[in-house]
């Protein structure tokens, strides 16, 4: 069972519950992101009985349902400085989606739209750059150690299948 969202100081110490889990309804809470200015936390959760995932907001001690797509999985939410919540959804029309989001109202203010079909793992930088894994496949990658000038490649472990990333324009 989920404990909710917890935080721990950079200096260590005991974890503190920032947002308790709703144990009657949520099977889990995952991928929480903090909105700019500490306005709240957006997170994905799976309902305990149906397995349907939803997008939620936690702000001022309350939960608010932002997005509930029947028969869809929602994951990896991110806030984009363009004023959108970006997330992955599947299995119907899978890909990266964006929904207009107001930081003032703490609400989705328009219809979600497809940003990139058949892509996953979105991440948005502070300058609005969207990175994601294109397609359903993965590529073989090799972790290496490098010295500071960027030389002396030393392989670490064996090559593995990992997601590849691409850069796209703002959603």
């Amino acid at each position: 069972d989920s404990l909710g969202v917890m935080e721990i100081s950079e200096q260590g110490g005991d974890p503190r519950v920032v947002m308790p889990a709703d144990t009657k309804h949520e099977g889990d809470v995952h991928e929480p992101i903090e909105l700019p200015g500490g306005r709240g936390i957006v997170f994905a959760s799976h309902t305990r009985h149906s397995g349907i995932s939803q997008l939620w907001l936690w702000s001022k001690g309350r939960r608010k349902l932002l997005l509930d797509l029947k028969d869809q999985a929602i994951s990896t939410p991110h806030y984009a400085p363009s004023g959108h919540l970006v997330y992955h959804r599947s299995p119907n029309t899978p890909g990266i989606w964006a929904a207009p989001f107001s930081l003032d109202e703490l609400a989705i203010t328009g219809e979600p739209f497809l940003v990139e079909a058949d892509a996953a793992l979105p991440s948005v930088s502070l300058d609005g750059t969207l990175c994601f894994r294109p397609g359903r496949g993965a590529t073989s990658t090799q972790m290496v150690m490098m010295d500071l000038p960027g030389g002396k490649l030393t392989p670490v472990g064996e090559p593995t299948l990992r997601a590849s990333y691409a850069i796209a324009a703002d959603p």
Side-chain angles (χ1 to χ4, degrees):
D1 283 22
S2 175
L3 298 174
V5 176
M6 303 179 84
E7 73 178 358
I8 190 165
S9 167
E10 289 179 13
Q11 287 76 37
D14 294 327
R16 179 179 78 85
V17 175
V18 175
M19 182 200 76
D22 176 357
T23 56
K24 288 183 182 179
H25 301 103
E26 291 170 351
D28 62 23
V29 168
H30 54 98
E31 303 159 338
I33 55 129
E34 186 174 14
L35 292 172
R39 290 183 171 105
I41 297 170
V42 172
F43 62 96
S45 76
H46 293 109
T47 56
R48 181 171 295 283
H49 302 292
S50 68
I52 293 171
S53 58
Q54 301 167 321
L55 204 55
W56 290 86
L57 169 74
W58 172 263
S59 181
K60 299 180 182 175
R62 293 188 174 161
R63 273 181 173 73
K64 178 180 177 181
L65 181 61
L66 295 174
L67 194 57
D68 184 2
L69 298 173
K70 304 295 184 235
D71 302 321
Q72 294 292 303
I74 301 170
S75 63
T76 51
H78 286 274
Y79 176 77
S82 61
H84 293 85
L85 287 179
V86 177
Y87 56 93
H88 174 259
R89 92 172 214 193
S90 65
N92 301 331
T93 318
I96 297 170
W97 287 71
F101 183 80
S102 168
L103 282 175
D104 294 331
E105 298 174 35
L106 295 176
I108 290 177
T109 57
E111 288 298 314
F113 57 92
L114 182 63
V115 175
E116 186 69 28
D118 200 25
L121 301 173
S123 182
V124 183
S125 70
L126 292 175
D127 72 359
T129 302
L130 171 65
C131 295
F132 58 89
R133 183 190 79 202
R136 294 180 187 199
T139 58
S140 178
T141 60
Q142 173 72 55
M143 182 182 286
V144 296
M145 288 192 299
M146 300 174 65
D147 63 18
L148 286 177
K152 290 191 179 177
L153 297 175
T154 306
V156 177
E158 296 298 316
T160 59
L161 289 177
R162 293 284 183 224
S164 57
Y165 287 84
I167 296 177
D170 291 335

